[in-house]
Amino acid sequence: MNGLPMGLARTIILPGCRCASFPSLSPPPASEPMGSAPSQAAEGREVEWQFDAIDTRPVERWLKAAGDVVARGGTKRFVDTYADTDDWRLYRAGYSLRLRVGQSGTEATMKSLSAGANGLRDRTEIAEPLPAGSLETLPASEGPVGRRVRAVAGSHAIRPKFQVRTRRQTYLVSSNGSAAAAVALDATTIPVEGREPARLLRVEIETNSGPTPELADFVGKMRDACGLTPASVSKFEAGLLARGLTPERSLDLGSSEISSESSVEELAFAVLRQHFAAFLRKEGGTRLGEDPEQLHDMRVATRRLRAAIALFEAALPAEVVMVREELGWVASALGAVRDLDVLIEQVETWRRRAEGLDDRALGAVAGVLSADRDQARANLVQTLDSPRYERLLAELTSVLRDGPVGASALSRVPAVDAAPSLIKQRYRKVRKGGRRIDRTSKPADYHRLRIRAKRLRYALQFLAPIYGKGVSALIRRTVRLQDLLGAHQDAEVAVARFEAIVAEEGNDLPPAAAFAMGEIAERFAKRKAKLRRRFPKVFRRVGGSAWADVRRVMKREAS
C-alpha cells in the first residue's frame, strides 16, 4: 500500500461521494444518493491542506498505487472571479468573495482570510448557489453569502478584481467506510493584462472531518513521496500578487508613536490614530453581526475616540473637535444593539443553567429581546450606510492623515508638561463624585460617577506611554470601579427595559413570559443592591498608594 497509514489501508472505497463536487465537502443526508450535487448552500468550516507542486503526475501515480483507499473522481474546469468593493470592505472584514462558474452552475463563496500553518488552512467558508450567475445580482440575494455581502458592502458596489482559471482532477479518499477527504490536483492560471499569465500547480486535500491523525499521516506520506511544498499563499493571495494589488486590512493614518519629546497635539493624534484604526477594523465584523464582540470593540473604540477628543480638545484643530458629536451619534446606534446583546446573553445563560425560571417563558423573553435587537441592528446598519457616516469617516481620515498642525501655543506644549493638570482634574472629579454616593443615591448619581471614572481611566491610559508603570495601579483600580458602576448601570437599564415591555406589550405576552420578566427585573434589582454594598470598598481603593504613585511619577517626569 505504498506506505499508507494502516487505518486508511483497511477501508473500503465508496462508489461515489458528494465531496467530489468541490468546494462543498459536507456529508449528504442519509436519504441523498452518494455522488449527487449539493441541494443547498454550504455554510461552515473548510479544512484543507494546500501544497505547491512542480509536477502533479507523481501525485497521480502515488494515489493510483494506493489501491482501494483512493478512487479517481471527475475532471472539472471552472473560472473563479474574485470581487470586492473599491475600498476592499470585504477584505477589511476578513473575507474574500469568489464567484465560481463551472459545468454545474454558478456559486458564490466567502472565505475567511485565515493564515495557513505548514500548508493546513482551517477557515470559515460560506457558499450559496447563484442561479442568475451574475455578480451584480448577488447583493440582492437572501442567501447566506448575499446577506453578508449586503451587510458589509452597504451602498458600495461589488466589482471584479481578478480571475483565476482552473482545471481540476479529483481523487476520493475513504476511511472506515465513509468519505474522509478529496484530493484535488489543480492546474491554475491567473490572467494578467499585457503579460504572461501566472501559473500554479497545486495539490489540495479537503476533509469534512477535520485533520485526524490518520489523515494527517496520509497527507504527510504523500507530501514526502511526491516532493510537495506547503503553499505559502492561497489562490486568492496569489491573484493579488500576480495583479499587483495591495489591499490593506487597516488604513494608514500616520504614525501613532509617542515619546517623551511629543507635544500634546502629537500625543493626541497618536491616540486618535490608534483608536480610529481599531474603529475601522471592527466595522466589517459589526456589519456582519455574527460576533457580538466585534460590535462591542467598535463601541469601545468610539468611546475612546470621544474621550480623547474631550481630553485634548484645547490642543486639537477645530475639524477634529467637531467630529466628537458625530461619533456620539454612531455610539448611540452601537449602544442600542450592545445593550440588547448583553440582556439576551444573560437570559440565555439563565436558560442554560435552569436557575428556577421556566425555560419556555425565558424563551419567549429572549424572543421579545431578539426582535428588539433586530430592529436596533437594522437602525445601526442604516446608520453605517448613510452619507452622514461616510462624511464622518472621510473627514476624520483626512485630518488624521494630515497630522498635527501646531496652530496654537497649547498644541505645542510638551505632553509631559500638560499631562499633570489633565489627570488631576479628572481624578478630583471622581473623588468628589464618589464621596457623595451612598446606598440611597439615585441611579443617575452612580451613572454620572461612572462617566467620570471612565474619563479618568482613559486619560491615564492615553498618557501611560510617557509615564510607564507608574500609573498602572491607579488604572487597575479605576477599571474595577468603572466595571462595578457599569454593571450597576446595566442592571438599571435592564429593569427599565423589562418594565417598559410589560407596560407596553403585557397584554400580548404569554402570562408566563410576563411573569418571567417581573422575576428577571427583580433579579437585576437585587444585583444593583449588591453592587451598591460593594461600592464603598472599591471606591476607597481609587486613591491612597495608587494615587501617590501617579503623583510621584508626574513630578519626576516634569523635572
Side-chain angles (χ1 to χ4, degrees):
M1 292 302 294
N2 201 29
L4 288 175
M6 291 300 294
L8 287 173
R10 290 194 298 267
T11 58
I12 300 174
I13 189 67
L14 301 177
C17 174
R18 177 176 173 178
C19 60
S21 56
F22 272 64
S24 173
L25 281 175
S26 302
S31 59
E32 184 176 294
M34 298 297 284
S36 62
S39 60
Q40 60 184 359
E43 183 175 346
R45 177 187 179 201
E46 178 194 61
V47 180
E48 69 176 7
W49 285 268
Q50 298 178 347
F51 297 103
D52 289 323
I54 297 175
D55 189 341
T56 58
R57 285 174 294 185
V59 182
E60 289 192 80
R61 290 193 293 269
W62 190 86
L63 290 169
K64 288 176 182 177
D68 61 0
V69 71
V70 175
R72 184 183 174 94
T75 300
K76 295 183 178 182
R77 295 179 183 270
F78 45 82
V79 177
D80 294 332
T81 299
Y82 287 91
D84 209 321
T85 62
D86 288 341
D87 58 354
W88 296 92
R89 288 175 171 246
L90 295 168
Y91 182 87
R92 284 171 23 213
Y95 285 89
S96 65
L97 171 64
R98 182 188 73 196
L99 193 71
R100 172 165 291 179
V101 180
Q103 297 160 300
S104 58
T106 303
E107 184 177 66
T109 304
M110 289 178 68
K111 292 188 181 185
S112 61
L113 301 177
S114 304
N118 296 319
L120 180 62
R121 288 182 183 258
D122 187 345
R123 52 191 172 178
T124 300
E125 180 182 68
I126 306 149
E128 69 169 90
L130 200 63
S134 168
L135 189 64
E136 290 74 17
T137 64
L138 179 60
S141 165
E142 290 301 323
V145 177
R147 291 197 308 271
R148 289 170 170 85
V149 168
R150 188 164 58 250
V152 176
S155 59
H156 293 251
I158 302 293
R159 306 187 192 281
K161 297 295 185 180
F162 58 86
Q163 283 190 342
V164 175
R165 302 171 183 270
T166 298
R167 177 187 179 276
R168 168 170 288 174
Q169 172 65 55
T170 59
Y171 288 81
L172 312 177
V173 181
S174 67
S175 177
N176 299 321
S178 61
V183 180
L185 309 184
D186 289 353
T188 295
T189 60
I190 304 170
V192 181
E193 294 178 7
R195 290 187 286 137
E196 285 292 311
R199 302 182 187 277
L200 297 173
L201 289 179
R202 180 66 56 88
V203 178
E204 298 183 351
I205 307 96
E206 185 174 353
T207 171
N208 55 17
S209 58
T212 65
E214 285 184 348
L215 187 57
D217 190 29
F218 174 86
V219 171
K221 292 183 184 306
M222 179 174 65
R223 176 198 62 209
D224 295 341
C226 302
L228 303 178
T229 303
S232 59
V233 296
S234 66
K235 288 176 183 171
F236 170 69
E237 292 162 338
L240 294 177
L241 291 170
R243 297 299 298 269
L245 299 172
T246 55
E248 297 177 335
R249 292 292 290 271
S250 59
L251 295 179
D252 182 7
L253 301 169
S255 175
S256 58
E257 293 185 6
I258 301 168
S259 74
S260 58
E261 305 300 320
S262 299
S263 71
V264 67
E265 186 185 22
E266 289 169 341
L267 172 60
F269 266 76
V271 170
L272 290 170
R273 285 166 174 163
Q274 176 187 348
H275 295 296
F276 188 50
F279 175 93
L280 294 173
R281 283 197 303 271
K282 300 300 179 180
E283 183 188 340
T286 296
R287 284 178 171 275
L288 279 175
E290 296 173 353
D291 180 0
E293 292 307 304
Q294 294 285 311
L295 183 146
H296 173 62
D297 291 345
M298 186 176 181
R299 185 189 187 194
V300 169
T302 310
R303 285 176 167 177
R304 290 176 179 268
L305 284 167
R306 297 183 70 221
I309 293 172
L311 180 67
F312 301 114
E313 180 175 355
L316 288 170
E319 299 92 329
V320 178
V321 176
M322 289 189 295
V323 165
R324 186 169 184 268
E325 183 176 344
E326 293 299 274
L327 288 168
W329 164 66
V330 177
S332 178
L334 292 166
V337 180
R338 178 59 182 174
D339 289 344
L340 285 160
D341 280 340
V342 172
L343 280 179
I344 291 169
E345 174 58 28
Q346 179 63 81
V347 171
E348 292 297 341
T349 298
W350 284 332
R351 290 185 72 184
R352 290 191 297 270
R353 295 177 180 174
E355 294 186 355
L357 293 171
D358 181 79
D359 182 70
R360 287 179 296 178
L362 287 176
V365 172
V368 172
L369 295 175
S370 295
D372 288 348
R373 184 193 182 277
D374 289 343
Q375 182 58 56
R377 175 164 165 75
N379 294 339
L380 171 61
V381 172
Q382 186 176 26
T383 295
L384 300 180
D385 285 344
S386 68
R388 181 178 173 184
Y389 179 74
E390 292 287 339
R391 287 194 298 271
L392 164 63
L393 296 188
E395 290 169 6
L396 194 47
T397 298
S398 176
V399 73
L400 291 179
R401 280 178 169 170
D402 288 344
V405 295
S408 68
L410 284 173
S411 66
R412 298 190 294 272
V413 171
V416 72
D417 293 336
S421 64
L422 296 174
I423 292 175
K424 288 176 182 178
Q425 181 185 46
R426 281 154 181 77
Y427 176 76
R428 288 167 185 155
K429 287 187 176 181
V430 169
R431 297 299 299 174
K432 183 178 179 180
R435 283 193 289 266
R436 292 176 176 175
I437 295 287
D438 59 32
R439 293 184 193 178
T440 64
S441 296
K442 295 179 179 179
D445 297 327
Y446 284 87
H447 184 49
R448 191 177 301 111
L449 179 60
R450 176 197 179 199
I451 294 171
R452 292 181 178 183
K454 178 180 65 178
R455 290 173 178 169
L456 173 61
R457 168 196 179 180
Y458 288 159
L460 291 166
Q461 290 175 329
F462 297 157
L463 297 165
I466 63 176
Y467 286 139
K469 296 182 179 180
V471 297
S472 299
L474 188 57
I475 289 175
R476 289 194 301 271
R477 295 180 185 188
T478 306
V479 167
R480 293 190 191 103
L481 175 63
Q482 187 186 341
D483 288 346
L484 183 147
L485 295 170
H488 183 277
Q489 178 65 13
D490 288 344
E492 177 65 23
V493 169
V495 170
R497 180 176 291 276
F498 285 122
E499 288 177 348
I501 291 173
V502 172
E504 296 169 11
E505 306 177 35
N507 293 334
D508 299 324
L509 292 172
F515 178 79
M517 286 189 183
E519 288 285 306
I520 292 170
E522 180 61 26
R523 288 191 177 194
F524 278 113
K526 290 179 179 178
R527 181 177 297 177
K528 280 199 318 179
K530 182 177 179 180
L531 292 166
R532 289 186 176 216
R533 290 193 296 271
R534 287 181 51 210
F535 170 79
K537 181 179 179 180
V538 176
F539 173 70
R540 280 195 302 270
R541 293 183 60 79
V542 181
S545 61
W547 175 239
D549 288 345
V550 173
R551 292 180 64 184
R552 189 160 41 249
V553 73
M554 289 192 300
K555 183 177 180 180
R556 184 187 68 221
E557 294 299 327
S559 62

